[in-house]
Amino acid sequence: MATGIGEQDVWAAADALLMEGARPTIERVRQKIGRGSPNTVSPHLESWFRALGARIKDPGAFAAAPAAPDPVRQA
């Protein structure tokens, strides 16, 4: 059974797009994740944008969690 996407999925995809130099949009986030409806992605992407300013001020905001496996941290 397929599971829905959550805020963490959208935030990770939006972060990845931003780091690639692309503007995170609903469609780009959906393509990055590989699934999800615009109605599901939209509110999570809005919360990502609202939090972005505060995250930019924090130099470790885009760092992977220490418990993340090496391939994830390198990505």
Side-chain angles (χ1 to χ4, degrees):
M1 183 168 126
T3 59
I5 63 167
E7 183 176 81
Q8 289 182 337
D9 299 316
V10 173
W11 282 42
D15 285 347
L17 287 163
L18 190 64
M19 296 304 242
E20 293 168 6
R23 179 179 298 137
T25 63
I26 293 169
E27 189 56 35
R28 286 181 182 149
V29 167
R30 291 179 65 228
Q31 288 175 353
K32 188 69 138 171
I33 296 172
R35 58 192 164 84
S37 74
N39 290 336
T40 302
V41 172
S42 180
H44 296 313
L45 189 56
E46 287 297 321
S47 68
W48 179 86
F49 272 112
R50 280 192 302 273
L52 185 58
R55 293 176 64 215
I56 288 172
K57 287 183 180 179
D58 178 8
F62 291 101
D70 286 333
V72 173
R73 282 186 288 180
Q74 292 172 358

